[in-house]
Amino acid sequence: MTEPRAVVEAPHFRQPDPVPSEAAASVLDGPDEGGKTRMLWSGGVSVVVHLPEQGLPEVLHWGRDLGDLSHGDFEQLRQARMRSVSPSALDAPWPLTLVPGEHDGWEGRPGFAAHRAGRAQYPRWTVADAGFETDIDTGTLHVRAEAPGLLLRSELRLDDAGVLRIAHELTNTGDEPLSLAALEAVMPVDDRAAEVLDFTGRWTRERVPQRGPLAQGSRVRETRRGRTGHDSPFVHVLGTAGFDTAAGELWAVHLAWSGDVVYRHDALPEARTVLGAGPLLRPGEIDLAPGESFRTPDAVFVWSDRGLDGLGDRFHRSLRARHSHPREPRPVVLNTWEAVYFKHDLARLETLARTAAGVGVERFVLDDGWFLGRRDDGAGLGDWTVDPEVWPQGLHPIVRTVRSLGMQFGLWFEPEMVNPDSDLAREHPEWLLQPPSTRAWRGQYAIDLTRPEAFDHLLGSISALVSEYELDYIKWDQNRDLIEAVHDGRANVHRHTEAVYRLLERLRARHPSLEIESCASGGARVDLGILDRTDRVWASDTNDPLERLAIQRWTELLLPLELIGSHIGPPTAHTTHRAASLDFRIATSLFGSAGIEWDITSCTPAELNRLRHGIASYRRLRGLLHTGTLSHPGTGDDGTTATAVVSDDRGHAVVRVARHATGNRALATALRVPGLDPDGRYRVAPVLELSVPSGLDEVPPPWLEHGELRLPGAVIADVGIQLPLLAPGEAIVLEITRQA
């Protein structure tokens, strides 16, 4: 049970967390001599921030909970860690502040950069007594700093999962405009950090990990795509040497933002290493008139001493604690795209809907092709009215059929885009975000949502359709990067992204029960900024299960399974032309927010029966899959991956082992499942509704012949379970239940 938030006043000590992994964020005030110190603590994490007599605060510690500290301990800690920038050539130790800059002796990438009428700004910040305060109820540290012509407000918020969010807000208090070039959040990491992990990717191969040694210097990853991007750094991680899924100490950051971003780390010879992120601001993009303010997106910092799965667990617990997090069971979705593409026909779609309902589908989503002039991807975007040639009675007939079958109804939109061949583009060419001379991309351009009239038009058009058809769901797509995105000649990616967020917020305020999926050419908009306003993401446009295993594994570093759309595609994947068995496709989609993207009217009765059983297994297990602790146990075999979910009470688990390539051994390695009660006794058996793969063994393991094992949790975790030798493209899914 989470304890109430509290402040422990001097000279008392902070009491230890009753349950360290669930403790509420609290605050401890340090001594006033030589400055002030505050400590946020929650979920096994401490953040200690010191405010000197002059200048901005400095983070003395971010990592493992330090336990009870007295005022004397604070002073000793300050003396132990204050030398954050080498004094070898300086007259006194200089600090590494929340917003590092040259005035503090920092020679890495600055946390703040701006100019006023061509004059570079090197602010001498001061923080008054009232500008370094804590909010007990939210576990937030507020810093209010001033410099001539500038006001900087910073928030550090530590939640119950030990996840730290940092945001800065800058106000121009001067008499002249201020051109902002950078405003980024940074945090120091331990000197033991020795390796770097981040991500890259492309369309249908998103979130590919890349890893290497931590080299000296300031290193920056930028994205300039106007959206999160297929090649997004995603989560930027520094870790101790050799960290892996279950072991190692890690410091990570994710920027909750769907526009251009900067991820950075600075490992300078003269200073502590820092990790950070912020919005990428193009020249002249953010000019603040006197009195205007700019707030950064949240930089989300996570520390773990349990490897990558420890990072993921903190992200997942933080997200699941949100008020907006989906609470209802995640319905089985059938999306029509790979079933019919642009060929919309009522009779065909009604047959598809009846077939879908017959195998257990709960939500039917009509994809691209329903609106005015949309017979291919070269026309119609922007004209959000139902095409009367294809749908003479509107969408009402298909909506009635879907609802009569007990399913919800959803609709695809791409609201931010417009085809030149559309009524909207012909009537309002001034609404385009790019100039007409911009090179074409999929035959479409973006609409400038910072224009109030364009914003209001889209909100009204979409809202009218949501009301008319009582839509349960929108698949919100965005299929191009933003190149030369300008408003009145000025770079406009940041303000446009803010407008996209407002459009989503206004739409949901009008229709509180509406759910929205974030899709952008598949997985090009997967971030916590968009997920503050949507209910799930489409991880990738590929439904090839072999590709999906890797894409979803790394998407799971940030997101829990219930937020990741994962569908059963056709026998031969649209994107790779690779064939996969239905059993393998079902096992892959099970670990996510499951669905189908396939013309299942072409299925044989045997295939429909397999689908029915696979969907039944998802519907039975989703309460566990979408609430339990996710891990990726090591298999000792580079050709296989294991994914496990264990319930919070450790009484129930489900594990998938999938083979994506052949291995070096002819004997399969044993599966070890962490997180069970070592003293509990468990039954291990294949998931009842799913097929057991034949594998490559002449004789399967004896326990599979009997159909089950009964073992203590300690044996399952430390000795393991012998599996069959799977062939590439096979998976086995096991259910583990505690016995009375």
Side-chain angles (χ1 to χ4, degrees), residues 36-121:
K36 296 182 177 180
T37 304
R38 301 283 189 272
M39 180 164 71
L40 302 174
W41 55 279
S42 181
V45 175
S46 291
V47 180
V48 183
V49 184
H50 177 72
L51 176 66
E53 292 178 343
Q54 294 183 340
L56 288 174
E58 177 180 7
V59 176
L60 303 182
H61 171 76
W62 164 46
R64 183 176 288 108
D65 190 351
L66 298 178
D68 295 338
L69 295 180
S70 68
H71 284 171
D73 293 332
F74 271 130
E75 177 59 24
Q76 293 297 302
L77 175 62
R78 186 182 70 82
Q79 292 186 28
R81 295 301 294 179
M82 199 61 187
R83 188 164 288 182
S84 297
V85 178
S86 171
S88 59
L90 306 176
D91 294 333
W94 288 11
L96 176 58
T97 69
L98 285 177
V99 185
E102 292 184 39
H103 176 60
D104 298 317
W106 175 249
E107 295 174 318
R109 180 181 175 88
F112 164 82
H115 67 85
R116 201 188 296 270
R119 300 187 302 276
Q121 303 292 292

Side-chain angles (χ1 to χ4, degrees), residues 591-606:
F591 284 70
S593 178
I596 300 172
E597 194 117 0
W598 177 21
D599 182 7
I600 57 175
T601 64
S602 65
C603 289
T604 66

Side-chain angles (χ1 to χ4, degrees), residues 430 432-433 448 450-451 485-492:
E430 74 279 8
L432 270 61
L433 185 58
D448 184 357
T450 64
R451 293 183 178 272
V486 296
H487 177 92
D488 294 338
R490 177 171 294 174
N492 196 38

Side-chain angles (χ1 to χ4, degrees), residues 263-457:
Y263 285 85
R264 43 84 65 88
H265 66 262
D266 302 74
L268 304 183
E270 305 88 358
R272 293 176 68 188
T273 298
V274 301
L275 173 71
L280 186 152
L281 305 179
R282 298 167 186 252
E285 184 170 15
I286 302 298
D287 282 347
L288 300 179
E292 286 188 336
S293 298
F294 173 84
R295 183 181 175 89
T296 66
D298 283 359
V300 185
F301 291 90
V302 182
W303 168 86
S304 166
D305 60 353
R306 297 187 294 110
L308 292 164
D309 279 344
L311 280 183
D313 184 48
R314 289 194 187 279
F315 276 125
H316 299 173
R317 288 191 290 117
S318 180
L319 287 167
R320 285 172 172 168
R322 301 174 301 162
H323 293 302
S324 62
H325 195 75
R327 305 288 179 218
E328 297 297 319
R330 296 296 81 207
V332 180
V333 174
L334 185 137
N335 191 75
T336 66
W337 176 242
E338 291 193 32
V340 302
Y341 296 103
F342 290 109
K343 297 177 182 178
H344 284 204
D345 174 80
L346 176 59
R348 183 180 180 186
L349 286 164
E350 286 184 327
T351 301
L352 181 63
R354 285 191 287 270
T355 308
V359 297
V361 169
E362 299 163 302
R363 176 179 284 164
F364 186 93
V365 179
L366 186 65
D367 208 287
D368 197 358
W370 56 269
F371 49 95
L372 193 64
R374 188 66 165 180
R375 304 283 66 77
D376 56 39
D377 62 3
L381 283 178
D383 296 340
W384 301 113
T385 57
V386 178
D387 193 326
E389 291 187 13
V390 180
W391 298 98
Q393 300 177 61
L395 298 178
H396 293 290
I398 187 63
V399 173
R400 282 195 297 268
T401 298
V402 167
R403 293 243 165 82
S404 72
L405 293 165
M407 294 185 293
Q408 298 178 357
F409 185 80
L411 201 57
W412 179 93
F413 289 86
E414 193 172 359
E416 301 156 59
M417 295 295 156
V418 60
N419 290 125
D421 185 6
S422 67
D423 290 346
L424 181 68
R426 286 184 284 269
E427 293 170 8
H428 294 288
E430 74 279 8
W431 287 6
L432 270 61
L433 185 58
Q434 295 95 355
S437 60
T438 301
R439 293 181 184 272
W441 184 307
R442 289 177 51 92
Q444 64 189 62
Y445 295 84
I447 296 174
D448 184 357
L449 292 180
T450 64
R451 293 183 178 272
E453 62 275 22
F455 182 100
D456 291 342
H457 171 80

Side-chain angles (χ1 to χ4, degrees), residues 678-690:
D679 298 321
R681 293 193 64 82
Y682 293 87
R683 176 182 181 268
V684 182
V687 168
L688 177 65
E689 301 92 342
L690 303 181

